[in-house]
Every structure is written in C-alpha cells, then in structure tokens.
C-alpha cells in the first residue's frame, strides 16, 4: 500500500480573476487530505471515503472511470467526490503507462468538501502521487501539479486554474499567473478561518462570473483590479531586501488588501450572507482584514488576526459552524508510505 497526503489552502488574493489570466496568491495550510492506494489484480477501482462527506461512502466499479457507480447517495455528492478521484486515477494510469491498472483507494480528509479550502486539489494531488508510486513511478512535485491541474480542468469543463493544484503539490505561499507558477516568500501570517458548514457550486459560480464579464465591461475591469491587488500584495509579502517596513505593518496592509478583494468578489456576486456575516464579525473583532476564500457561495472566510479576538468572535457568530487557526505549511505533497 502506498500513502500520500497533500494540504489544503486559503487564498490571500485572486480567486476568480486567476481564471482569466490574472495572478493569484494561495497559501498551503496544515489541513490535509490523505489517500492510500493498493494495486489490484483486475481493472476495478474501489474507493472508500469515510469522511469526505458527512455520511461517507464506499463504491466499486469496473473498466473506465467514465462509468458512474450505482450508489445510494445524492448524484451531486457522487459527482463532487468521485470526479476528482476518477481524474487522478486516469492521470496515474497515463503517467505509469498502465491503462488497465485497478486500485483500492481510501480517502481521508481534514478539509471540508467544497468549502473553498482546496479539498479537490488536495485529493487529486495526493491521489496522483500515491497511485503512480504504487505503480512503480515517482513524479516530481511540479509534474504532479501539472497533472492535477489537467485532472481538475477535465472535471471543471476547462475552467480550472493552476493555483490550487500547484499550491497543494509544492506547499508554501505561491504566485500563479497563467502558466507561470512559483513559490514566494511570506511572513508567518496569523490566519483564522471561519466555516459556515456549507459549500458553493464552483462550476455555477465561475459560470456566473463569466456571464457578468461577457455582459459588462466594468465586470471585466473588476477582475483586472483584483489582479492589481494581487500584485500589490505580492510586494508586501516578499518585499525588496532594502525595505525596512516592519513585518507587523506589512501584515496590516495585507489585511487591508484582503478587505478590498472581498468587496470586489462581493460585487461579482460570489459572496453570501453567511460569508459576509463572518467577514464583518472578523473585522469588528479587530482583524487586519477578512475575505471569502475559494469560489464563494458558502464555505470559508480567511482573516488576519494575531490576537484571539477574531477566533472568539467567529465562534459566536450565527451561521459560523467552525472557526480555527490555519497554520501555514511549507510542505506540499508528503509521502507517508
């Protein structure tokens, strides 16, 4: 059996705009998806996901992973949970030149599904790494990231960016602009996450922004402005060596930019009442800044606050199901066995 894990992420800036070639900066956090893979003697694929959803499920099916398993759970859950596993299997088969390989796969995750913390990217990255190593081939993190991107793009009808998968594969804070992906230095950011217990429909939200962009020039300008925020934020994260601005002041300004970014995302229609409530609770508690993270529509917000005030405020905010500190991790995919 071969085991790999990969981290989730929060976006400091740039979601949605990154789909249109603007830069984005996500950061890997120490909440992980772990995928265990054991090769089979046939071409069947058996997937057990005991905690990927609230109820969990086990499915088994044969032949092409294009075939959907017949299981007694909502179709949307099967699509969300199985699509990325299917795509990871196909990428592993291709990388190892083993088109008929079968697997027993177990998925465990600390990352809520569809909440904006990169669950799908983490499962895809860990799945590709574990499955290819089980077949005797070891891929560098950059190739895992590229294959995971193509897997996500296949599931999301070509609307994925490289941001989530690259961040999950290599770890740390990363800057992604089109095909240009690289690590950036970042201070130890005091990130607090609030989770409303829900999930947005990424495909629907991305399609909604695309429709606005095609209809209104100012929506296109809004996405470009998000790109400008990212470029400003990058200079604060990784300043010129001669800069003498204290790190505390840089973090405070990064928080301001997060506030700007959230306002622009809200104007594009991808926020929600629960996300806005958590953002305002964090700001009123004294956070440097707060914004939704990920596709939006529900899920998580990220705030910057070194004090316990935001964490406490979120725990008492109606609609917030969970709040926690998100420790940044420099590690991407980890090989556990």
């Amino acid at each position: 059996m071969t085991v790999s894990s990969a981290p989730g992420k929060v976006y400091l800036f740039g979601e949605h705009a990154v789909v249109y070639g603007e830069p984005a900066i996500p950061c890997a956090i120490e909440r992980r998806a772990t995928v265990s893979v054991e090769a089979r003697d046939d071409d069947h694929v058996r997937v057990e996901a005991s905690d990927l959803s609230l109820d969990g499920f086990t499915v088994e099916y044969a032949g092409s992973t294009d075939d959907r398993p017949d299981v007694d759970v909502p179709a949307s859950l099967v699509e969300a949970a199985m699509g990325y596993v299917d795509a990871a299997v196909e990428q592993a088969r291709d990388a190892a030149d083993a088109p008929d390989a079968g697997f027993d796969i177990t998925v465990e995750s600390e990352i809520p599904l569809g909440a904006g913390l990169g669950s799908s990217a983490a499962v895809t990255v860990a799945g590709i790494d574990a499955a290819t190593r089980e077949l005797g081939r070891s891929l560098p993190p950059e190739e895992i990231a590229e294959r995971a991107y193509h897997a996500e793009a296949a599931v999301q009808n070509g609307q994925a960016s490289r941001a989530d998968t690259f961040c999950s594969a290599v770890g740390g804070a990363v800057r992604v602009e089109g095909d240009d992906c690289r690590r950036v230095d970042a201070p130890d950011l005091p990130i607090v996450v609030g989770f409303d217990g829900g999930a947005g429909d990424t495909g629907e939200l991305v399609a909604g922004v695309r429709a606005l962009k095609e209809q209104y020039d100012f929506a296109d300008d809004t996405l470009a402005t998000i790109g400008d925020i990212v470029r400003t934020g990058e200079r604060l994260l990784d300043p010129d060596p001669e800069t003498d601005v204290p790190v505390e002041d840089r973090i405070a300004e990064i928080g301001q930019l997060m506030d700007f970014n959230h306002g622009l995302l809200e104007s594009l229609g991808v926020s929600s009442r629960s996300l806005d409530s958590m953002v305002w609770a964090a700001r009123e508690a004294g956070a440097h800044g707060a914004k939704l993270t990920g596709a939006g529509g529900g899920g998580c917000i990220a705030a910057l606050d070194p004090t316990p005030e935001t964490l406490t405020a979120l725990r008492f905010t109606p609609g917030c199901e969970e709040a926690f500190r998100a420790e940044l991790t420099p590690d991407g995919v980890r090989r556990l066995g």
Side-chain angles (χ1 to χ4, degrees):
M1 179 180 291
T2 306
V3 185
S4 299
S5 78
K9 62 90 183 71
V10 296
Y11 271 97
L12 291 181
F13 326 101
E15 54 270 88
H16 284 286
V18 73
V19 176
Y20 302 100
E22 297 292 344
I25 298 180
C27 299
I29 61 171
E30 197 49 60
R31 284 215 165 191
R32 291 184 166 261
T34 300
V35 179
S36 305
V37 178
E38 188 166 5
R40 294 172 62 114
D41 294 331
D42 54 29
D43 63 356
H44 290 214
V45 177
R46 181 181 185 274
V47 181
E48 180 177 352
S50 60
D51 58 1
L52 194 59
S53 67
L54 291 177
D55 298 322
F57 55 86
T58 301
V59 299
E60 182 173 348
Y61 50 106
S64 169
T65 53
D66 290 336
D67 297 330
R68 286 289 176 235
D70 181 16
V71 293
D72 187 21
V73 295
S76 60
L77 177 59
V78 174
E79 291 291 334
M82 293 303 300
Y84 297 103
V85 178
D86 287 355
V89 166
E90 289 302 326
Q91 286 293 329
R93 286 170 167 171
D94 178 71
D97 194 21
D100 297 321
F103 302 101
D104 287 330
I105 299 173
T106 302
V107 180
E108 301 171 284
S109 183
E110 304 169 329
I111 311 166
L113 189 65
L117 297 183
S119 173
S120 64
V123 169
T124 305
V125 164
I128 290 172
D129 184 66
T132 52
R133 289 193 299 117
E134 179 70 6
L135 294 175
R137 182 165 180 214
S138 181
L139 304 178
E142 292 76 13
E143 184 175 348
I144 294 168
E146 184 68 10
R147 287 187 172 276
Y149 159 68
H150 287 292
E152 285 214 321
V155 176
Q156 296 176 20
N157 298 316
Q159 298 187 106
S161 82
R162 285 178 164 79
D164 286 21
T165 45
F166 184 78
C167 184
S168 189
V170 307
V174 304
R175 182 190 190 278
V176 175
E177 184 173 5
D179 296 340
D180 179 22
C181 306
R182 57 184 171 84
R183 291 277 296 265
V184 296
D185 289 334
D188 187 13
L189 298 171
I191 295 176
V192 179
V193 172
F195 175 40
D196 67 6
D201 185 323
T202 299
E204 182 178 314
L205 290 157
V206 170
V209 172
R210 184 177 298 278
L212 284 176
K213 180 179 182 294
E214 292 172 351
Q215 185 174 3
Y216 299 113
D217 288 342
F218 58 77
D220 195 34
D221 294 341
T222 298
L223 293 164
T225 301
I226 291 174
D228 291 338
I229 288 172
V230 178
R231 295 180 186 95
T232 303
E234 179 185 11
R235 292 192 290 271
L236 293 167
L237 285 168
D238 189 10
D240 185 284
E242 296 181 1
T243 299
D244 59 358
V245 179
V247 66
E248 294 82 4
D249 292 346
R250 289 195 282 125
I251 289 174
E253 191 171 349
I254 289 167
Q256 272 191 309
L257 294 176
M258 291 172 67
D259 286 343
F260 278 122
N261 198 162
H262 181 79
L264 294 171
L265 290 170
E266 189 178 11
S267 74
L268 292 171
V270 297
S271 191
S272 67
R273 180 172 294 184
S274 59
L275 294 175
D276 289 342
S277 293
M278 291 189 290
V279 162
W280 279 105
R283 292 175 183 172
E284 290 171 354
H288 294 307
K291 60 179 285 294
L292 68 84
T293 177
C300 292
I301 64 114
L304 295 185
D305 190 353
T307 78
E309 301 303 319
T310 291
L311 191 61
T312 300
L314 287 172
R315 287 172 174 165
F316 286 94
T317 299
C320 180
E321 295 288 325
E322 183 182 3
F324 57 90
R325 284 209 171 272
E327 178 185 354
L328 300 187
T329 178
D331 298 336
V333 63
R334 285 180 187 156
R335 292 167 175 177
L336 307 177

